[in-house]
Amino acid sequence: MMKSRRPGAALILACLFLFVVDAIVLATLYMAVMERRLAANASAALRLRLAAESAAATAVLPWTAQLDSVAAGERPRLDRMEAAGDLLVQASTEASAGLLVVRAVAAEPPPGAGRAAAMTLWLPPPLPAGTDLAPAAVSAGSAHLDGGARVEAVPGDSCTDGFALHLATAYTGDGSATGGVAPLAEDASVARLVPRLLAWAEANARPGFVAAAGDLHLNGMADGVVVAGGTVTLDAGSAFSGILIAGAVVIHEDAAVRGAIHVTGHAHVAGSVLLDACTVRSMAARHRLSRAMPFPARPSLPAFQ
Amino acid sequence: MTSRRVWAARGGTTLAELLVAVALTSLLGAVLCGVLVAQLRVASSLREQVHSADAVRVAAAVLQGEARRITADDVRAASADSLAVRAFRGAGLPCAGLETTTWVRYRGDRLPEPAKDSVAPVGPGLHGRAVALLDARPAAHADCSPAPGERVLQLRLAEEPGAAAVLLVFESGRYYLSSRALRYRLGAEGRQPLTAELLLPGSRFAPSPDRLGIQLETRAGGRTELPAWYAGTRTEELLP
């Protein structure tokens, strides 16, 4: 039988060719896997960041009585734990210089080690949670109703759910108060919050929100929220619709107010005041009196891990 | 028949066989060399693409990370090839203070350095103000209890920070696109490259299509939009 002794290169060449092809396939596969890993990492980082930013943007909404205690000058931490999908999110809140600093951290569950943080700065609402802005047409320390004065809270009206007068002492004068008179406890007076409202207005100027540390004169037609540390005077023939909070108030004859008045001191009424809880609620919502606001100058802060 | 007789019967064909073998081997070698060279070119091109993509990724990550920390007021200037910003490096919550000395619970990329950093107090009535940082050192204070990840620092400032809710520590930096790389310059120092010199020519900072933000255009069709709030309505003013 004949036996071939010819040396051949086919096997070597075939091996070389296969090696090159394999190398190309493996390199392509490696690149695809790396691209996929990079995309997955970018996606996970984005999810973490969005979860942290979302928690930082909602941690103080809605405003609660617990958050009011944070704004009292101390620095308690309010921690909230929540889950966003499979991520763990923790938000903490603390007061600083009259503002609220919210820090939220989102983390991957173990064994993942991804983390993202976000910080926001909030202006607390000027009114504590649960403040009733329409308990009566006029809430005051004392009141005098001139002969032609009318202060009304007409029962049965869906927008009237309160008294005509809320007073610390009995009112004087011959004017009419329709809707009853109720005693006002000093610590329940909305007007005691005038300094807080003035500070809030300074950092958060809004059209329709008039704030003055001293006295104020109103004439003509106006609506909105008026806050004054001194006396607010409504001249004859003027009409105001909304919320009036001041140290004292003088309403001249033929002047009309629709909404609610809160004063710490004396209310002298010669015109008319009609309690309108719907207008009061509408103005409070429009000016976000019970809602925390992102601090206008820098709503979000750089967050560091 | 023996093998000797077979070889004898095929006498005179060895040279021709050799020539054919040499020719075939040369042909095969040429083809293989061609394939090898082509593969090397493909590999080189792929490597450059990967590195270029890495450079774009790094540039986008750096700029987006920086942009997320700042607001419109922190952008000092912008042009097609540079962006000057307040680059925030840390934030401290004041927990005690005495005139120009303030203790803060600090968290940041690094500790404050008076030689390169300033402080921006944030709070009611303190819009955009910056205060020089004179000294920063770790120092405990009875009123300051740091949370995990925080350090208590004593900062001495050039003036009282006012009613600050937060003290932001920043350096004045400028990002450049030059010589096909993204570079960063701190104050008067040299431009340090942040990426390899592999960004395609023509990369530039440009207004985003909605004119509300600035984007980094790295090549035709490749755009990295930075968060819009960092330029906001100042885009027209910054990049007309």
Side-chain angles (χ1 to χ4, degrees), chain A residues 22-66:
Chain A
D22 283 352
I24 291 170
V25 169
L26 283 174
T28 308
L29 201 62
Y30 176 76
M31 277 182 61
V33 169
M34 286 304 290
E35 288 292 332
R36 193 179 157 79
R37 280 185 186 169
L38 283 169
N41 277 346
S43 166
L46 181 65
R47 282 186 65 220
L48 284 165
R49 185 166 62 78
L50 291 178
E53 286 178 359
S54 170
T58 57
V60 294
L61 300 176
W63 190 258
T64 62
Q66 192 186 16

Side-chain angles (χ1 to χ4, degrees), chain B residues 221-232:
Chain B
R223 290 172 176 176
T224 300
E225 194 161 330
L226 307 178
W229 66 77
Y230 102 100

Side-chain angles (χ1 to χ4, degrees), chain A residues 55-86:
Chain A
T58 57
V60 294
L61 300 176
W63 190 258
T64 62
Q66 192 186 16
L67 288 164
D68 272 323
S69 71
V70 178
E74 297 179 354
R75 294 176 180 276
R77 287 171 183 277
L78 295 183
D79 288 339
R80 292 184 182 184
M81 286 289 289
E82 51 191 81
D86 58 334

Side-chain angles (χ1 to χ4, degrees), chain A residues 138-143 166-167 184 189-195 197-198 210-216 226-234 243-250 261-268:
Chain A
V138 176
S139 302
S142 60
H166 228 184
L167 299 174
L184 172 68
S189 169
V190 172
R192 77 188 191 285
L193 301 169
V194 165
L197 281 158
L198 291 175
V210 178
D215 296 343
L216 206 60
V226 171
V227 178
T231 301
V232 175
T233 305
L234 270 81
I243 306 166
L244 199 157
I245 304 171
V249 68
V250 176
I261 295 174
H262 301 267
V263 292
T264 47
H266 185 68
H268 187 128

Side-chain angles (χ1 to χ4, degrees), chain B residues 129-206:
Chain B
R129 196 164 144 255
V131 180
L133 177 64
L134 303 180
D135 188 32
R137 64 183 64 182
H141 192 284
D143 293 339
C144 301
S145 51
E150 291 178 341
R151 295 185 68 175
V152 176
L153 299 182
Q154 183 194 60
L155 305 182
R156 196 160 61 82
L157 307 175
E159 55 185 281
E160 285 188 45
V166 182
L167 296 178
L168 298 175
V169 174
F170 70 93
E171 60 186 31
S172 294
R174 186 181 284 264
Y175 288 93
Y176 285 94
L177 287 169
S178 68
S179 304
R180 298 185 60 193
L182 177 70
R183 296 164 195 276
Y184 181 68
R185 181 178 188 177
L186 172 63
E189 293 176 5
R191 300 176 184 182
Q192 302 299 319
L194 300 174
T195 67
E197 295 182 348
L198 288 168
L199 296 177
L200 294 187
S203 298
R204 65 187 186 123
F205 295 112

Side-chain angles (χ1 to χ4, degrees), chain A residues 133-257:
Chain A
L133 282 170
V138 176
S139 302
S142 60
H144 177 86
L145 309 187
D146 282 355
R150 288 185 300 119
V151 180
E152 298 179 7
V154 184
D157 186 338
S158 63
C159 282
T160 303
D161 185 19
F163 297 94
L165 293 167
H166 228 184
L167 299 174
T169 59
Y171 75 92
T172 58
D174 301 327
S176 66
T178 311
V181 181
L184 172 68
E186 191 180 336
D187 60 352
S189 169
V190 172
R192 77 188 191 285
L193 301 169
V194 165
R196 186 166 159 172
L197 281 158
L198 291 175
W200 182 82
E202 192 179 341
N204 187 38
R206 299 175 71 85
F209 190 108
V210 178
D215 296 343
L216 206 60
H217 265 269
L218 295 180
N219 50 38
M221 308 273 285
D223 66 357
V225 178
V226 171
V227 178
T231 301
V232 175
T233 305
L234 270 81
D235 294 340
S238 61
F240 174 75
S241 175
I243 306 166
L244 199 157
I245 304 171
V249 68
V250 176
I251 300 172
H252 286 292
E253 201 174 338
D254 290 335
V257 173

